[in-house]
Amino acid sequence: MTDENRVVNHRAGNEPLFGNVAHFMGFPSYEGAGCAAEAVITGVPFDLATTGRPGARLGPWAIRQASSNLLWETVRWPWEFELTSKLEVADAGDLQVPPGDASRLTEQLEQHASALLSAGKHLVTFGGDHFITLPLLRAHARSLGPLALIHFDAHTDNYRGGLYDHGTFLATALREGLILPERSVQIGIRTAYDKLHHPFTVLDALQVDKTPAAALVQTIQEITAGQLCYLSFDIDCLDPAFAPSTGTPVVGGVSTTKALEILRQLTSCRLVGMDLVEVAPATQQVDVTALAAATLVLDYLYLVAAGR
Ligand SMILES: [Mn+2]
């Protein structure tokens, strides 16, 4: 490889970008606690808690497939280093989800996450619907104490209702003391919520549209300052123009450009984990949604690496 093409040939040799897309970005398999990787990806193909269109169980598959579009940059724009020079990442594949058993899935995902956290790993998880964030928050809070939440979404997910509902997971997390509401922030909201009693700071979709990313980032950093932060990204935070393939799309959302601009600047947040949920590829004509998701995750990994 010559110096000129050092930044654009991710894969050694002549392997085609679209060949053997078993893992996100072609990262190696996670081989258990002895594995040197610092960040570990897991797919959770579960969508029994969705209230709108189903299909998020195929999200992990679609995000991994779409990541093949991102393989050719060794040094991803606009970052100025090679991700794997600072952060070793492995892909643990998909969690085995028992068909029709939301209760067992919840236990299995929490156990899986707890085992990774005990091994000192940084978790990045692909949904699945947004319910999967609840067992992930349980595992993180058990390991690290109550967390600040940076939550990108069209919906507050703080609704009243049953346990296995992707729109109630945050109310449950709050009741269980997993997150610190006064240190948490929701970004891109554009659906009804009780403003008088809402426990979180909201940067709604109109504010996100009108405010420069740097100012939004400053607000996020002030709210979460000093706290360990978990980042949950519901792909429906993005406008359906950018991410149509999702269970409960809402127009008037955030652009991919703005979301990436915000994400890349969260450098002073003490991030401990991330999930990317609600990619439902069965509804998609092309892979634009999964590509947005794959790109957001890759930029998140760069963000973590930049702090090393
Ligand atoms: Mn949502």
Side-chain angles (χ1 to χ4, degrees):
M1 203 181 284
T2 63
D3 276 355
E4 307 91 86
N5 67 15
R6 189 186 62 80
V7 295
V8 293
N9 277 326
H10 181 90
R11 286 184 159 187
N14 296 314
E15 188 168 4
L17 296 181
F18 288 84
N20 301 313
V21 188
H23 290 158
F24 184 70
M25 296 300 294
F27 290 133
S29 292
Y30 178 66
E31 306 286 7
C35 177
E38 301 153 274
V40 177
I41 288 163
T42 304
V44 185
F46 169 87
D47 60 12
L48 290 182
T50 197
T51 53
R53 306 190 297 213
R57 68 183 59 190
L58 296 176
W61 167 83
I63 296 170
R64 290 191 180 98
Q65 286 292 317
S67 76
S68 62
N69 291 285
L70 304 170
L71 276 173
W72 62 279
E73 288 174 298
T74 299
V75 176
R76 172 167 164 66
W77 183 92
W79 301 95
E80 289 180 345
F81 59 90
E82 189 173 343
L83 177 66
T84 50
S85 72
K86 294 189 185 234
L87 184 73
E88 278 194 63
V89 190
D91 189 332
D94 288 343
L95 195 71
Q96 290 187 9
V97 173
D101 195 339
S103 166
R104 251 186 79 212
L105 173 275
T106 310
E107 289 165 20
Q108 284 182 2
L109 178 52
E110 186 180 342
Q111 282 166 14
H112 172 80
S114 293
L116 288 173
L117 288 165
S118 304
K121 306 305 183 190
H122 186 119
L123 275 67
V124 172
T125 310
F126 300 158
D129 69 49
H130 217 156
F131 174 76
I132 70 154
T133 302
L134 179 63
L136 290 166
L137 285 173
R138 284 174 176 160
H140 281 83
R142 178 172 297 168
S143 167
L144 304 164
L147 299 159
L149 182 68
I150 302 175
H151 177 202
F152 292 83
D153 206 320
H155 316 86
T156 62
D157 292 347
N158 188 42
Y159 310 109
R160 265 180 250 164
L163 173 63
Y164 301 113
D165 180 331
H166 68 161
T168 65
F169 84 89
L170 211 42
T172 310
L174 206 52
R175 265 200 313 279
E176 294 183 2
L178 310 179
I179 47 178
L180 301 165
E182 70 282 0
R183 310 304 300 278
S184 297
V185 56
Q186 300 184 300
I187 302 139
I189 304 297
R190 53 192 184 281
T191 49
Y193 66 99
D194 180 357
K195 283 183 185 164
L196 274 183
H197 303 102
H198 197 62
F200 310 101
T201 301
V202 167
L203 299 173
D204 69 35
L206 289 173
Q207 283 171 273
V208 173
D209 187 46
K210 288 182 184 133
T211 312
L216 295 164
V217 166
Q218 196 184 343
T219 304
I220 296 166
Q221 288 178 337
E222 281 166 12
I223 292 166
T224 61
Q227 276 295 331
L228 299 180
C229 299
Y230 186 86
L231 192 154
S232 185
F233 201 110
D234 184 329
I235 201 70
D236 72 26
C237 174
L238 301 183
D239 189 90
F242 303 96
S245 302
T246 189
T248 41
V250 186
V251 301
V254 178
S255 73
T256 315
T257 304
K258 193 71 170 270
L260 285 167
E261 202 184 353
I262 296 168
L263 181 67
R264 290 181 191 128
Q265 290 181 49
L266 297 177
T267 42
S268 73
C269 292
R270 300 175 66 200
L271 296 160
V272 296
M274 183 246 197
D275 58 57
L276 191 308
V277 298
E278 298 284 353
V279 172
T283 59
Q284 76 188 356
Q285 302 301 311
V286 288
D287 61 359
V288 57
T289 308
L291 179 59
T295 307
L296 285 158
V297 170
L298 181 57
D299 271 79
Y300 174 82
L301 289 168
Y302 268 93
L303 176 66
V304 172
R308 299 293 165 104

